Amino acid sequence: MNFSPRKHISFLFALISLLLFPFCSQKEHPSEKEIQLAVYGKEAGDPVRILSQKQINLDETPEMETLVLFQSGQSEVLSAFRKDGSSWTFLWKLEFFLKDLGPMYYDGKQNKWLAGSVSGKEKPTFAGDCLRRIVLAELPGDNFNSVFIEVLSEEPPLGLFSVPMGYRKGKKIWDGYQLKEHEELKRSKRVEFEYSAKDKSFRIFPTNPNYSQEFVFNGWEMIANLPMQPVPSFVSLEVEPKFETGKESLVTLQLKNRGNYVSLTYLSLSFPDSGSLRLANETQGVRLYKKGEIVYNVVQNKKIPAEYPLLEVTKEGWANNFRYGIKFYYTPISTNTPKILFRSTYKFYQEIVSIPNQFSIVPYERDQQGFPSYILN
């Protein structure tokens, strides 16, 4: 048998490559079949067509996640997966309906979205027909990326328009559909946005000084940064020692005002699971309401006896980007992981404004005073 030197060298090179680079052949993303089974739970149905994929960190775990953008039937889907050995773990999906949209581009002169494609207006590589733009960016306090997208929608009488949406670990934190009545959107049919890496915030209509508006993240959702409005933002919640039924723990809540200077802000912490509460010695401007003491209910517009303990903090002169800490002792009586509700209120002229409110897009509960409140984790 003849065995030429060239074939011998090629064989050796292939063997060395397999030994030195065993992971080169590993898939960078799940296959169409794996996606269909993970996302829809069945192999039958409309086929999956992968448009693009990107590896990036999307949560606190050190492992990289893979974002896959694909189309299936009348859906365009952005999905997140994590490699687990030789298989893929499905994490979450964002699904939008195309309705046979096809290629589109935005014409700035006509202020409208048009069908087709034009040189110089090509969509980014990591984008689809419905998801026109995908921005991966870190939020304050995070060392991983959240997902922000520009989504095309069609509703009468607006017609075809686009709005921003934001998701952190697959959970919605910014809903651009709330801007449907915005005067500039009605005119332009597009809510442009840009990300500031320095401030880790987003600005809509960045080139229009009349309508430009910054949005900041408060630990739960994106909040419009309005003049004369504070945005108390979650930084950390420390419990020492860890909560245990019948045992006292020192709780330290750190907040930062990511909004504007305000002369007076009220911060409220409620404890629906009851329990025992006492103030730390160094705490100032904090008042403790025990069960049965009189508090004001904004819905009933009257004073009522408290159903459970409440801490109310009066914070004066809170400037932008300054931190503020609240310390107290708490003893759970019914569960090791008690529920704690948080909200902030301030006066805007004669109006009482609260964060969160009825327009918030993240889950909230109303406290015993009738105010929407975030759940502290």
Side-chain angles (χ1 to χ4, degrees):
M1 179 183 292
N2 292 327
F3 195 70
S4 68
R6 181 175 294 178
K7 290 183 179 179
H8 183 65
I9 293 172
S10 299
F11 174 77
L12 287 176
F13 180 77
L15 182 61
I16 292 171
S17 298
L18 286 173
L19 292 174
L20 293 181
F21 307 106
F23 301 109
C24 289
S25 61
Q26 280 196 352
K27 294 185 298 180
E28 294 182 355
H29 59 79
S31 66
E32 288 87 348
K33 185 176 180 180
E34 289 172 318
I35 291 172
Q36 192 169 47
L37 190 60
V39 175
Y40 299 112
K42 57 183 179 180
E43 296 183 22
D46 294 314
V48 167
R49 183 169 71 92
I50 296 177
L51 302 181
S52 53
Q53 59 87 24
K54 185 183 289 287
Q55 283 190 330
I56 196 164
N57 192 236
L58 296 172
D59 56 32
E60 296 92 343
T61 61
E63 295 83 9
M64 296 282 281
E65 285 72 44
T66 297
L67 274 176
V68 181
L69 179 64
F70 68 88
Q71 291 177 347
S72 179
Q74 290 190 329
S75 293
E76 192 162 277
V77 184
L78 187 64
S79 53
F81 295 83
R82 182 182 294 124
K83 194 67 179 291
D84 185 13
S86 60
S87 61
W88 292 88
T89 299
F90 170 59
L91 301 177
W92 47 261
K93 68 171 181 177
L94 311 176
E95 186 168 9
F96 300 88
F97 294 99
L98 284 167
K99 210 171 183 178
D100 300 323
L101 203 56
M104 304 290 297
Y105 72 96
Y106 181 73
D107 190 314
K109 293 182 179 180
Q110 299 186 56
N111 294 322
K112 64 170 61 175
W113 290 90
L114 300 174
S117 58
V118 175
S119 178
K121 296 182 181 293
E122 295 87 355
K123 65 184 179 184
T125 304
F126 192 42
D129 296 332
C130 182
L131 277 61
R132 300 302 305 177
R133 183 177 167 215
I134 301 174
V135 176
L136 304 171
E138 287 188 1
L139 291 170
D142 290 344
N143 59 358
F144 56 87
N145 290 274
S146 294
V147 179
F148 297 87
I149 55 182
E150 182 180 0
V151 182
L152 271 177
S153 182
E154 187 173 17
E155 296 181 21
L158 271 176
L160 196 62
F161 62 95
S162 73
V163 293
M165 306 289 282
Y167 298 85
R168 181 176 181 267
K169 296 190 288 187
K171 304 291 186 181
K172 186 187 293 184
I173 59 171
W174 193 16
D175 189 350
Y177 288 120
Q178 293 182 332
L179 298 166
K180 286 190 295 185
E181 299 301 319
H182 197 288
E183 182 180 352
E184 178 61 7
L185 173 59
K186 291 180 179 180
R187 184 194 72 84
S188 66
K189 301 297 188 294
R190 184 186 188 189
V191 182
E192 292 186 84
F193 67 89
E194 66 178 16
Y195 171 70
S196 169
K198 178 183 176 182
D199 300 321
K200 295 189 175 182
S201 64
F202 283 83
R203 183 170 293 277
I204 63 171
F205 306 120
T207 60
N208 189 332
N210 294 321
Y211 298 105
S212 182
Q213 177 66 63
E214 183 186 33
F215 282 77
V216 297
F217 182 61
N218 72 345
W220 291 274
E221 60 184 325
M222 303 297 292
I223 299 289
N225 192 9
L226 304 175
M228 302 173 62
Q229 172 188 269
V231 183
S233 302
F234 176 84
V235 175
S236 64
L237 180 67
E238 298 177 1
V239 180
E240 184 61 37
K242 292 183 178 181
F243 284 132
E244 187 176 345
T245 302
K247 294 186 178 181
E248 187 177 72
S249 297
L250 175 62
V251 182
T252 304
L253 173 63
Q254 291 283 345
L255 302 166
K256 177 186 281 190
N257 180 15
R258 302 204 67 239
N260 292 287
Y261 173 85
V262 65
S263 58
L264 193 62
T265 308
Y266 299 98
L267 309 170
S268 298
L269 292 164
S270 297
F271 303 83
D273 294 329
S274 294
S276 175
L277 198 67
R278 70 180 179 93
L279 301 180
N281 293 332
E282 65 267 31
T283 303
Q284 295 182 349
V286 182
R287 182 175 177 182
L288 167 61
Y289 292 85
K290 297 181 180 180
K291 183 177 180 179
E293 294 191 39
I294 300 302
V295 297
Y296 178 75
N297 184 287
V298 69
V299 176
Q300 300 179 32
N301 193 25
K302 67 177 183 179
K303 295 180 179 180
I304 62 170
E307 300 175 8
Y308 45 78
L310 163 70
L311 280 183
E312 282 200 342
V313 181
T314 302
K315 172 59 179 167
E316 298 181 352
W318 201 358
N320 170 256
N321 279 332
F322 274 73
R323 287 197 180 197
Y324 179 69
I326 305 172
K327 287 189 176 184
F328 56 91
Y329 292 93
Y330 181 66
T331 305
I333 61 171
S334 59
T335 174
N336 291 342
T337 54
K339 181 186 296 182
I340 303 177
L341 303 180
F342 170 79
R343 64 172 167 85
S344 65
T345 53
Y346 68 99
K347 277 191 176 182
F348 184 73
Y349 297 104
Q350 299 300 317
E351 184 182 1
I352 296 178
V353 182
S354 66
I355 301 175
N357 52 50
Q358 67 270 29
F359 302 109
S360 293
I361 63 169
V362 297
Y364 65 80
E365 291 187 13
R366 290 190 180 271
D367 61 19
Q368 61 188 337
Q369 295 179 270
F371 288 98
S373 300
Y374 294 122
I375 302 172
L376 274 175
N377 293 323

PDB file of all heavy atoms in Angstrom, residues 16 65 71 80 93 133 178 201 227 255 261 272 282 300 321 367:
ATOM      1  N   ILE A  16      -3.445  15.503  16.085  1.00  0.00           N
ATOM      2  CA  ILE A  16      -2.986  16.489  17.092  1.00  0.00           C
ATOM      3  C   ILE A  16      -4.080  17.505  17.383  1.00  0.00           C
ATOM      4  O   ILE A  16      -4.310  17.906  18.522  1.00  0.00           O
ATOM      5  CB  ILE A  16      -1.698  17.182  16.611  1.00  0.00           C
ATOM      6  CG1 ILE A  16      -0.551  16.172  16.582  1.00  0.00           C
ATOM      7  CG2 ILE A  16      -1.344  18.356  17.501  1.00  0.00           C
ATOM      8  CD1 ILE A  16       0.703  16.698  15.915  1.00  0.00           C
ATOM      9  N   GLU A  65     -24.290  32.634  29.509  1.00  0.00           N
ATOM     10  CA  GLU A  65     -25.537  32.204  28.896  1.00  0.00           C
ATOM     11  C   GLU A  65     -25.463  32.478  27.391  1.00  0.00           C
ATOM     12  O   GLU A  65     -24.616  33.249  26.924  1.00  0.00           O
ATOM     13  CB  GLU A  65     -26.731  32.948  29.498  1.00  0.00           C
ATOM     14  CG  GLU A  65     -27.120  32.486  30.893  1.00  0.00           C
ATOM     15  CD  GLU A  65     -26.117  32.920  31.952  1.00  0.00           C
ATOM     16  OE1 GLU A  65     -25.671  34.083  31.921  1.00  0.00           O
ATOM     17  OE2 GLU A  65     -25.760  32.078  32.801  1.00  0.00           O
ATOM     18  N   GLN A  71     -37.096  32.636  14.654  1.00  0.00           N
ATOM     19  CA  GLN A  71     -38.469  32.803  14.198  1.00  0.00           C
ATOM     20  C   GLN A  71     -39.121  31.430  14.073  1.00  0.00           C
ATOM     21  O   GLN A  71     -38.465  30.450  13.702  1.00  0.00           O
ATOM     22  CB  GLN A  71     -38.511  33.514  12.843  1.00  0.00           C
ATOM     23  CG  GLN A  71     -38.092  34.973  12.912  1.00  0.00           C
ATOM     24  CD  GLN A  71     -38.081  35.640  11.548  1.00  0.00           C
ATOM     25  OE1 GLN A  71     -38.146  34.976  10.516  1.00  0.00           O
ATOM     26  NE2 GLN A  71     -38.003  36.957  11.539  1.00  0.00           N
ATOM     27  N   ALA A  80     -33.099  32.466  26.136  1.00  0.00           N
ATOM     28  CA  ALA A  80     -31.833  32.329  26.858  1.00  0.00           C
ATOM     29  C   ALA A  80     -31.626  30.881  27.266  1.00  0.00           C
ATOM     30  O   ALA A  80     -32.542  30.229  27.776  1.00  0.00           O
ATOM     31  CB  ALA A  80     -31.817  33.232  28.086  1.00  0.00           C
ATOM     32  N   LYS A  93     -37.816  33.060  27.798  1.00  0.00           N
ATOM     33  CA  LYS A  93     -38.031  33.514  26.418  1.00  0.00           C
ATOM     34  C   LYS A  93     -38.833  34.810  26.417  1.00  0.00           C
ATOM     35  O   LYS A  93     -39.600  35.107  27.337  1.00  0.00           O
ATOM     36  CB  LYS A  93     -38.788  32.462  25.612  1.00  0.00           C
ATOM     37  CG  LYS A  93     -40.238  32.280  26.073  1.00  0.00           C
ATOM     38  CD  LYS A  93     -41.034  31.387  25.127  1.00  0.00           C
ATOM     39  CE  LYS A  93     -42.482  31.267  25.621  1.00  0.00           C
ATOM     40  NZ  LYS A  93     -43.328  30.482  24.706  1.00  0.00           N
ATOM     41  N   ARG A 133     -33.834  46.125  17.401  1.00  0.00           N
ATOM     42  CA  ARG A 133     -32.556  46.459  18.025  1.00  0.00           C
ATOM     43  C   ARG A 133     -32.487  45.767  19.369  1.00  0.00           C
ATOM     44  O   ARG A 133     -33.470  45.746  20.109  1.00  0.00           O
ATOM     45  CB  ARG A 133     -32.463  47.976  18.199  1.00  0.00           C
ATOM     46  CG  ARG A 133     -31.160  48.494  18.772  1.00  0.00           C
ATOM     47  CD  ARG A 133     -31.209  50.007  18.817  1.00  0.00           C
ATOM     48  NE  ARG A 133     -30.135  50.558  19.623  1.00  0.00           N
ATOM     49  CZ  ARG A 133     -30.235  51.641  20.368  1.00  0.00           C
ATOM     50  NH1 ARG A 133     -31.378  52.294  20.401  1.00  0.00           N
ATOM     51  NH2 ARG A 133     -29.214  52.094  21.067  1.00  0.00           N
ATOM     52  N   GLN A 178     -46.301  51.727  27.477  1.00  0.00           N
ATOM     53  CA  GLN A 178     -46.909  52.787  28.281  1.00  0.00           C
ATOM     54  C   GLN A 178     -46.728  54.166  27.633  1.00  0.00           C
ATOM     55  O   GLN A 178     -47.317  55.138  28.081  1.00  0.00           O
ATOM     56  CB  GLN A 178     -46.313  52.787  29.687  1.00  0.00           C
ATOM     57  CG  GLN A 178     -46.663  51.546  30.503  1.00  0.00           C
ATOM     58  CD  GLN A 178     -46.092  51.594  31.916  1.00  0.00           C
ATOM     59  OE1 GLN A 178     -45.072  52.222  32.161  1.00  0.00           O
ATOM     60  NE2 GLN A 178     -46.749  50.932  32.843  1.00  0.00           N
ATOM     61  N   SER A 201     -27.963  54.321  32.701  1.00  0.00           N
ATOM     62  CA  SER A 201     -29.355  54.722  32.539  1.00  0.00           C
ATOM     63  C   SER A 201     -29.679  54.802  31.052  1.00  0.00           C
ATOM     64  O   SER A 201     -28.788  54.739  30.201  1.00  0.00           O
ATOM     65  CB  SER A 201     -29.613  56.072  33.209  1.00  0.00           C
ATOM     66  OG  SER A 201     -28.855  57.093  32.569  1.00  0.00           O
ATOM     67  N   PRO A 227     -38.077  65.961  37.155  1.00  0.00           N
ATOM     68  CA  PRO A 227     -37.625  67.063  38.015  1.00  0.00           C
ATOM     69  C   PRO A 227     -38.344  67.043  39.360  1.00  0.00           C
ATOM     70  O   PRO A 227     -39.534  66.711  39.441  1.00  0.00           O
ATOM     71  CB  PRO A 227     -37.996  68.318  37.215  1.00  0.00           C
ATOM     72  CG  PRO A 227     -38.108  67.852  35.795  1.00  0.00           C
ATOM     73  CD  PRO A 227     -38.601  66.442  35.869  1.00  0.00           C
ATOM     74  N   LEU A 255     -30.009  52.359  50.634  1.00  0.00           N
ATOM     75  CA  LEU A 255     -30.699  52.952  49.496  1.00  0.00           C
ATOM     76  C   LEU A 255     -29.841  54.067  48.897  1.00  0.00           C
ATOM     77  O   LEU A 255     -29.004  54.652  49.591  1.00  0.00           O
ATOM     78  CB  LEU A 255     -32.056  53.525  49.908  1.00  0.00           C
ATOM     79  CG  LEU A 255     -33.052  52.553  50.560  1.00  0.00           C
ATOM     80  CD1 LEU A 255     -34.177  53.330  51.209  1.00  0.00           C
ATOM     81  CD2 LEU A 255     -33.607  51.585  49.515  1.00  0.00           C
ATOM     82  N   TYR A 261     -32.635  65.985  43.644  1.00  0.00           N
ATOM     83  CA  TYR A 261     -32.644  66.458  45.032  1.00  0.00           C
ATOM     84  C   TYR A 261     -34.090  66.702  45.483  1.00  0.00           C
ATOM     85  O   TYR A 261     -34.917  67.219  44.735  1.00  0.00           O
ATOM     86  CB  TYR A 261     -31.851  67.758  45.162  1.00  0.00           C
ATOM     87  CG  TYR A 261     -31.980  68.379  46.531  1.00  0.00           C
ATOM     88  CD1 TYR A 261     -31.160  67.976  47.572  1.00  0.00           C
ATOM     89  CD2 TYR A 261     -32.952  69.358  46.788  1.00  0.00           C
ATOM     90  CE1 TYR A 261     -31.285  68.522  48.839  1.00  0.00           C
ATOM     91  CE2 TYR A 261     -33.089  69.916  48.046  1.00  0.00           C
ATOM     92  CZ  TYR A 261     -32.248  69.489  49.067  1.00  0.00           C
ATOM     93  OH  TYR A 261     -32.383  70.037  50.318  1.00  0.00           O
ATOM     94  N   PRO A 272     -46.036  42.531  57.017  1.00  0.00           N
ATOM     95  CA  PRO A 272     -47.333  41.839  57.052  1.00  0.00           C
ATOM     96  C   PRO A 272     -47.320  40.546  57.861  1.00  0.00           C
ATOM     97  O   PRO A 272     -48.381  40.096  58.319  1.00  0.00           O
ATOM     98  CB  PRO A 272     -47.624  41.550  55.577  1.00  0.00           C
ATOM     99  CG  PRO A 272     -46.751  42.478  54.816  1.00  0.00           C
ATOM    100  CD  PRO A 272     -45.543  42.681  55.651  1.00  0.00           C
ATOM    101  N   GLU A 282     -28.658  54.108  66.873  1.00  0.00           N
ATOM    102  CA  GLU A 282     -28.146  55.225  66.072  1.00  0.00           C
ATOM    103  C   GLU A 282     -29.147  55.728  65.036  1.00  0.00           C
ATOM    104  O   GLU A 282     -28.858  56.657  64.289  1.00  0.00           O
ATOM    105  CB  GLU A 282     -26.852  54.820  65.363  1.00  0.00           C
ATOM    106  CG  GLU A 282     -27.017  53.723  64.329  1.00  0.00           C
ATOM    107  CD  GLU A 282     -26.780  52.339  64.910  1.00  0.00           C
ATOM    108  OE1 GLU A 282     -27.063  52.143  66.097  1.00  0.00           O
ATOM    109  OE2 GLU A 282     -26.296  51.455  64.180  1.00  0.00           O
ATOM    110  N   GLN A 300     -59.051  54.498  52.178  1.00  0.00           N
ATOM    111  CA  GLN A 300     -60.237  54.767  52.989  1.00  0.00           C
ATOM    112  C   GLN A 300     -60.331  56.231  53.404  1.00  0.00           C
ATOM    113  O   GLN A 300     -61.383  56.683  53.877  1.00  0.00           O
ATOM    114  CB  GLN A 300     -60.220  53.879  54.233  1.00  0.00           C
ATOM    115  CG  GLN A 300     -60.214  52.391  53.939  1.00  0.00           C
ATOM    116  CD  GLN A 300     -60.183  51.545  55.206  1.00  0.00           C
ATOM    117  OE1 GLN A 300     -60.738  51.938  56.239  1.00  0.00           O
ATOM    118  NE2 GLN A 300     -59.528  50.385  55.133  1.00  0.00           N
ATOM    119  N   ASN A 321     -27.579  60.647  43.982  1.00  0.00           N
ATOM    120  CA  ASN A 321     -26.472  59.685  44.133  1.00  0.00           C
ATOM    121  C   ASN A 321     -25.928  59.576  45.554  1.00  0.00           C
ATOM    122  O   ASN A 321     -24.880  58.973  45.768  1.00  0.00           O
ATOM    123  CB  ASN A 321     -25.328  59.995  43.164  1.00  0.00           C
ATOM    124  CG  ASN A 321     -25.598  59.461  41.769  1.00  0.00           C
ATOM    125  OD1 ASN A 321     -26.319  58.475  41.594  1.00  0.00           O
ATOM    126  ND2 ASN A 321     -25.061  60.126  40.765  1.00  0.00           N
ATOM    127  N   ASP A 367     -49.970  47.922  50.910  1.00  0.00           N
ATOM    128  CA  ASP A 367     -49.764  47.775  52.352  1.00  0.00           C
ATOM    129  C   ASP A 367     -51.031  48.161  53.098  1.00  0.00           C
ATOM    130  O   ASP A 367     -52.056  48.515  52.493  1.00  0.00           O
ATOM    131  CB  ASP A 367     -48.546  48.580  52.816  1.00  0.00           C
ATOM    132  CG  ASP A 367     -48.694  50.086  52.559  1.00  0.00           C
ATOM    133  OD1 ASP A 367     -49.836  50.560  52.367  1.00  0.00           O
ATOM    134  OD2 ASP A 367     -47.663  50.787  52.566  1.00  0.00           O
TER     135      ASP A 367
END
